[in-house]
């Protein structure tokens, strides 16, 4: 790798830095179908739309979560870490300052100020070509093994991995297990997330990209969150991690010594994850890149206090 940054932006070589690598969909942001607003309507939280698709609102977070994320982005190295393609990630407008780094395509791209780092691209594609069956072979198998009665779409993301959009009700229960058994010896992993079945080369991981960003920023501590099997390596690689009470990891009972399992589900989980990030970063006194003044005080107050809308959320339980 040629590009190297040994000190955090805005800090000295001695200053401790906390890096926060978080999944987005169903971890920090939520579609209407994933919100899980179980409280009475008059106690529902106010929502902020953070993504528009095809001229319609698509994903949300609570206004309290938006304030927490703004504080987090100002006081740590916050790195959105997603399986989304660069184009899909570009539709999201998160609160707070724009992240210097972002991880897209499940670790296939590290964006630096919005531009994919070519050295990292070359590193990733080299590993995939040397360790895995080709994407063409995987696609051919998917097309031959799937059934039009439940297959809605077959897609390729960034020429790195494939995914299917399926009718979950019609999908045979054993099909994903059979696909996993076929893909595993060929160096590919399989993940079922909502209506999507992802087939991803094993070297393509969020954790590898997180480690690279940590190296470049001089991060001394890493925090992470995620809800799917594609996030498991990211959670395991972090110093501390959290997962919500919903999602693929919750469904299979996944856990690890460094990972806290939250009881909150839906958009309330996103809010709680941000509280945990801020508390963990503040406990270490790490990641402070520049004084945030009243914004920091407001963020801490939100962490400890919540607002009236938040109080209704604490009891509730697309990628």
């Amino acid at each position: 790798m040629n590009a190297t940054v040994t000190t955090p932006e805005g800090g000295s070589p001695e200053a401790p830095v906390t890096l926060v690598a978080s999944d987005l969909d169903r971890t920090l942001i939520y579609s209407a179908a994933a919100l899980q607003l179980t409280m009475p309507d008059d106690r529902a939280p106010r929502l902020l739309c953070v993504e528009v698709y095809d001229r319609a609102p698509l994903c949300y977070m609570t206004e309290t979560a938006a304030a927490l994320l703004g504080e987090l982005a100002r006081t740590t190295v916050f790195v959105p870490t997603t399986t989304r393609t660069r184009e899909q990630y570009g539709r999201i407008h998160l609160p707070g300052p724009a992240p210097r780094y972002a991880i897209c395509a499940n670790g296939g791209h590290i964006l630096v100020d919005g531009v994919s780092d070519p050295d990292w691209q070359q590193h990733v594609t080299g590993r995939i070509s040397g360790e895995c069956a080709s994407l063409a072979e995987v696609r051919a198998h998917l097309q031959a093994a799937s059934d039009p009665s439940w297959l809605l779409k077959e897609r390729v993301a960034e020429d790195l991995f494939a995914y299917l959009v399926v009718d979950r009700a019609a999908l045979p229960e054993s099909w994903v297990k059979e696909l996993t058994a076929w893909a595993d010896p060929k160096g590919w992993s399989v993940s079922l997330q909502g209506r999507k079945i992802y087939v991803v080369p094993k070297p393509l991981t969020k954790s590898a990209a997180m480690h690279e960003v940590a190296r470049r920023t001089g991060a001394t501590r890493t925090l992470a969150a995620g809800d799917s099997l594609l996030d498991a390596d990211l959670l395991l690689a972090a110093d501390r991690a959290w997962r919500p009470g919903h999602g693929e990891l919750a469904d299979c009972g996944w856990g690890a010594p460094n990972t806290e399992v939250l009881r909150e589900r839906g958009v309330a989980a996103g809010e709680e994850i941000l509280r945990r990030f801020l508390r963990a970063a503040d406990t270490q006194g790490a990641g402070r890149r520049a004084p945030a003044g009243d914004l920091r005080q407001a963020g801490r107050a939100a962490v400890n206090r919540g607002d009236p809308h938040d109080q209704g959320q604490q009891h509730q339980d697309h990628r």
Side-chain angles (χ1 to χ4, degrees), residues 19-232:
L19 184 150
V20 177
S22 181
D23 177 51
L24 296 178
D25 294 276
R26 299 191 71 195
T27 298
L28 294 187
I29 68 174
Y30 292 81
S31 67
L35 289 172
Q36 299 194 41
L37 300 176
T38 59
M39 74 292 291
D41 290 348
D42 62 352
R43 301 190 69 189
R46 295 208 314 181
L47 300 173
L48 175 69
C49 178
V50 294
E51 180 184 13
V52 172
Y53 178 63
D54 198 20
R55 296 174 294 281
L58 182 61
C59 286
Y60 306 84
M61 60 197 319
T62 69
E63 287 189 346
T64 298
L68 296 170
L69 180 55
E71 172 66 5
L72 187 74
R74 291 179 181 93
T75 56
T76 70
V77 178
F78 172 65
V79 184
T81 305
T82 180
T83 304
R84 286 179 178 235
T85 64
R86 288 171 287 173
E87 180 182 2
Q88 292 166 339
Y89 169 70
R91 298 196 304 253
I92 300 172
H93 298 283
L94 295 172
R100 174 81 196 279
Y101 294 94
I103 294 168
C104 294
N106 209 63
H109 290 278
I110 294 176
L111 305 188
V112 185
D113 295 327
V115 179
S116 183
D117 182 86
D119 293 328
W120 182 253
Q121 286 183 53
Q122 184 178 8
H123 169 74
V124 169
T125 55
R127 283 201 61 192
I128 293 172
S129 63
E131 300 175 29
C132 307
S134 70
L135 178 60
E137 181 180 348
V138 171
R139 290 191 70 193
H141 179 81
L142 291 174
Q143 292 164 359
S146 59
D147 192 310
S149 65
W150 48 260
L151 177 64
L152 303 178
K153 299 176 184 177
E154 188 262 339
R155 294 287 186 267
V156 170
E158 303 271 18
D159 291 323
L160 290 170
F161 62 91
Y163 66 93
L164 308 178
V165 182
V166 302
D167 178 348
R168 282 292 297 271
L171 179 70
E173 187 174 340
S174 63
W175 196 84
V176 173
K177 294 180 180 179
E178 293 168 359
L179 176 62
T180 301
W182 178 87
D184 183 69
K186 297 182 179 294
W188 291 69
S189 60
V190 177
S191 176
L192 175 62
Q193 301 174 28
R195 298 189 309 144
K196 293 182 179 179
I197 301 171
Y198 290 91
V199 189
V200 178
K202 292 180 181 180
L204 189 66
T205 64
K206 294 180 177 181
S207 61
M210 179 190 74
H211 282 311
E212 175 61 16
V213 177
R215 183 185 71 83
R216 296 185 186 196
T217 58
T220 54
R221 193 161 187 256
T222 53
L223 310 176
D227 71 291
S228 80
L229 286 174
L230 290 176
D231 297 315

Side-chain angles (χ1 to χ4, degrees), residues 257-310:
N258 71 326
T259 301
E260 291 185 52
V261 177
L262 303 181
R263 62 179 178 83
E264 288 84 2
R265 301 168 59 86
V267 72
E271 199 172 290
E272 183 60 23
I273 285 168
L274 288 164
R275 284 195 177 86
R276 302 299 179 99
F277 280 152
L278 278 166
R279 287 171 183 161
D282 193 59
T283 297
Q284 293 295 308
R288 301 298 182 188
R289 296 184 292 178
D294 292 342
L295 288 170
R296 181 180 302 158
Q297 295 178 10
R300 287 177 181 167
V303 170
N304 295 323
R305 164 189 93 238
D307 358 274
H309 293 297
D310 172 55

